[in-house]
Structures are given as structure tokens and as C-alpha cells.
Amino acid sequence: MATIKDVAALAGISYTTVSHVLNKTRPVSEQVRLKVEAAIVELDYVPSAVARSLKARSTATIGLLVPNSVNPYFAELARGIEDACERNGYCVILCNSDDNPQKQRSYLRVLLEKRIDGLVVASVGEDSDLLQSLAGVRTPMVIVDRELEGVDADLVRIDHEQGAYLATRHLLELGHRDIAYIGGPAETGVTQLRLAGFHRAMAEAHVAVQGDHILHCDFTSPGGHAAAAQLLDGKRPTAIFAGNDMIGFGVLRAAAERNVSVPGELSVIGFDDIELSRYVYPPLTTVGQSIRELGESAAALLLSRIATPRRDAVEQRIVAPRIVLRESTGPRPDLFNDYR
């Protein structure tokens, strides 16, 4: 690989002059500049980003730590973050931990060693060691999706509890009373908030929640499929609130396998409004907000923190959710009966 000294030798000038041309730190003649540019092209020279970052004390690089890049939610979130960073002259290093705590900690160490200018952490699992590591990070940082106990950082997330409340109330307003909830892993903060919203709506409507109609699984379509199969093979509810859209896709599959009409016999609502929810059949009614806009908001907050690192107050941006009506929800089958 060519070095700056190779460029200088080919151009017939000193390497300090080449440095001035590259970094625009001192005026040089047009003739010298053209010689340097010709030598760079001929040698396919790539300036050292490390050397430039040491001089400028900035790498123009953002680290992004996500638990599962296969999940479309995190893919869309990453796209929003990347778009906003690119417009502002930053590149993004994406690290996918596959929900592996050890991998998460390892990637965090790698990102910090690369002297990134800022860090976005999206929905880290319940890993006390990682939380302790994040609490000690001095690099500007934004948490996306949910709060992390003990980590003093800016936060961008949707209002999970209110979103679940809106989803459940939507089903109640359609006349459903026998409503099941399939949430993510019970120990996660997101699941607890969404379950709280479900219970709040049910209690407000004076509708009892059946214990066997509260199930938990991974935030995946296979998890939703297995949980829905359990529900549909027993005393079937008339509606299911899925803790995220991926779970909702699994519910739709389980219903189709049993010839259960959606929404004629079973209404299904998800959470997140990922792009795929528009294209499954039937299109999934869901709760959410633009995921890309959420990512762009997180990036904007981080870039603001990088620009003013001494700003003391931690900022929280809680995004209001909305119902996105599609074709997977409808009136309960016996709509014309009196509601009880």
C-alpha cells in the first residue's frame, strides 16, 4: 500500500508539502497541487484516517450497537440513523450482537477502541455487565428504544405503554372482550411496559383478563407462531394483541394454518409498524411511528451532543404512538349482540 512518502517521491516534492495539499493547511501553487493529485491517482493512495483523526481529534464515525439486524425494526432504525449521519459527514459502524451478551460487550470495546465520536445503543438485553460498561462510557451516547437503568445518556423511544393501551382500546372499541396478549420475553422492560398498557385498557373497560391468555415468547415470527398455535388450539380468543409485528406475522400464519379467518373470526394487531406489515396478508393493523424518523431523531440528538459535549441535562424524546389501521382487525364475530 502506497504511503505519503511514496506520493512525495513520485511528485518530486517533500512529504510535508503533500500533507499540506491533502489537509489544506497551507497554500501551495497550482502546479504542485496537480503533481500531488496525479501521483495520488497513479499510486491509488488512500490517506490514513487514523492519522487525520489524531490531528483533528475526530474520526467522523458513529458506532451503532443493535441486538438483531435480522429484525426489520432494527434494519429500518439503522437506515434512519445512517441517512442522518451521512448528511452530516459521519459514517456509521454497525455492530450486530445476535442477542449475545458477550458479543455485545466485545463490540462495545471494539467501537470505543476505534475512537468513535458517538455511540447509539438500541435495545440492549438484560446484561448487568454491559450496563455497567455503558455507565462508564464517556463518549457521547444516545439510547434508542428503551431506558437502561444506571446509564446516564440521552434517550429516544416510543411510548410503549401508551401504544399498547391504544392497541388494546382499538380492539375493545371493535367489540372484542376475549382478547389475548402475546408479548416478548417477560423480563424485558419493553414487554413490561406494553403489558401494562394492555392491562390498563382492559381495566378501564372493566373487562377481566384471562390468565391463560397472556403468553410470552421471543420477539420473532416463530415465537408468535408457537404461542398463537397454543391459543388457537384451545379456547380461542376473538382478538390477539401481538407484542410486535414479527410476533403478529407468526399469529397470522398460525391462523391461516387452522383456516381461521382474519379478521372475520380473529382480529390481530401488532406493534412497531415495520415496512413488511403493509405486505403480509391480510395487511397488519399495528401501533407505531415512523421507525426511520425515530432513527433520524436519535442521530440528530447524538450529533447535537457531540457538538456540545458539556451540555449537562440529559434529554429524553418520547415519541407518541399512533394506530395504523389495515385489514387484520374488524368487529368481533357477534358484533350485533349486546356488548357485555
Side-chain angles (χ1 to χ4, degrees):
M1 181 180 290
T3 67
I4 190 171
K5 291 185 177 181
D6 295 328
V7 173
L10 183 60
I13 57 178
S14 70
Y15 76 86
T16 54
T17 301
V18 175
S19 177
H20 289 313
V21 173
L22 293 172
N23 299 307
K24 299 178 181 179
T25 51
R26 197 184 72 184
V28 298
S29 69
E30 181 70 6
Q31 182 181 10
V32 169
R33 184 182 64 79
L34 291 174
K35 282 184 178 181
V36 171
E37 290 177 353
I40 287 172
V41 171
E42 183 173 338
L43 295 171
D44 196 21
Y45 169 69
V46 178
S48 170
V50 174
R52 285 186 299 174
S53 68
L54 289 173
K55 184 179 182 66
R57 296 186 178 181
S58 171
T59 60
T61 303
I62 300 298
L64 172 57
L65 186 61
V66 301
N68 185 353
S69 61
V70 175
N71 186 327
Y73 174 88
F74 294 110
E76 292 179 36
L77 183 73
R79 180 59 183 270
I81 293 169
E82 185 179 18
D83 286 349
C85 287
E86 191 274 334
R87 289 196 302 269
N88 287 276
Y90 285 81
C91 66
V92 177
I93 300 176
L94 172 64
C95 293
N96 167 45
S97 67
D98 290 321
D99 293 307
N100 183 321
Q102 183 176 351
K103 203 171 179 182
Q104 289 180 133
R105 293 192 296 272
S106 176
Y107 274 139
L108 176 62
R109 184 169 57 252
V110 168
L111 288 172
L112 295 177
E113 287 174 352
K114 289 187 177 298
R115 303 176 67 88
I116 54 175
D117 292 340
L119 175 66
V120 180
V121 181
S123 194
V124 179
E126 303 297 322
D127 176 11
S128 59
D129 289 339
L130 180 63
L131 295 181
Q132 186 176 356
S133 297
L134 287 172
V137 169
R138 295 294 171 262
T139 300
M141 177 169 52
V142 171
I143 306 298
V144 183
D145 199 37
R146 67 183 179 88
E147 298 178 61
L148 300 177
E149 187 176 351
V151 180
D152 189 26
D154 295 325
L155 170 72
V156 177
R157 70 169 175 86
I158 197 167
D159 190 333
H160 300 290
E161 197 272 349
Q162 180 65 11
Y165 170 82
L166 292 176
T168 309
R169 194 176 71 175
H170 170 66
L171 297 174
L172 289 164
E173 289 173 347
L174 289 170
H176 296 281
R177 294 298 179 266
D178 191 359
I179 303 172
Y181 171 77
I182 303 176
E187 68 277 6
T188 64
V190 167
T191 295
Q192 293 167 10
L193 287 170
R194 293 180 183 179
L195 183 56
F198 170 79
H199 279 298
R200 176 161 69 94
M202 295 290 277
E204 197 175 88
H206 305 290
V207 177
V209 177
Q210 300 182 43
D212 59 354
H213 279 186
I214 303 292
L215 284 77
H216 295 280
C217 63
D218 294 333
F219 280 118
T220 63
S221 295
H225 178 269
Q230 182 179 333
L231 284 171
L232 298 179
D233 289 340
K235 183 179 180 297
R236 193 170 76 209
T238 66
I240 294 176
F241 170 31
N244 76 348
D245 290 345
M246 297 299 289
I247 292 174
F249 299 162
V251 174
L252 292 177
R253 173 66 186 228
E257 290 171 347
R258 290 159 176 78
N259 294 315
V260 176
S261 171
V262 176
E265 298 173 273
L266 177 73
S267 284
V268 182
I269 187 168
F271 199 117
D272 284 336
D273 190 25
I274 63 175
E275 188 173 1
L276 282 174
S277 62
R278 301 161 176 78
Y279 302 106
V280 294
Y281 185 81
L284 185 67
T285 295
T286 185
V287 178
Q289 188 54 269
S290 169
I291 301 170
R292 282 199 187 184
E293 288 181 14
L294 199 69
E296 294 205 8
S297 180
L301 186 55
L302 180 61
L303 295 176
S304 175
R305 177 65 67 178
I306 292 171
T308 55
R310 297 183 183 278
R311 193 173 76 240
D312 293 329
V314 171
E315 187 172 344
Q316 292 195 2
R317 296 182 183 177
I318 310 300
V319 179
R322 69 181 190 277
I323 293 283
V324 183
L325 289 174
R326 297 197 180 99
E327 298 169 28
S328 66
T329 54
R332 78 181 190 199
D334 58 344
L335 173 66
F336 298 107
N337 291 344
D338 290 334
Y339 296 162
R340 302 191 213 279

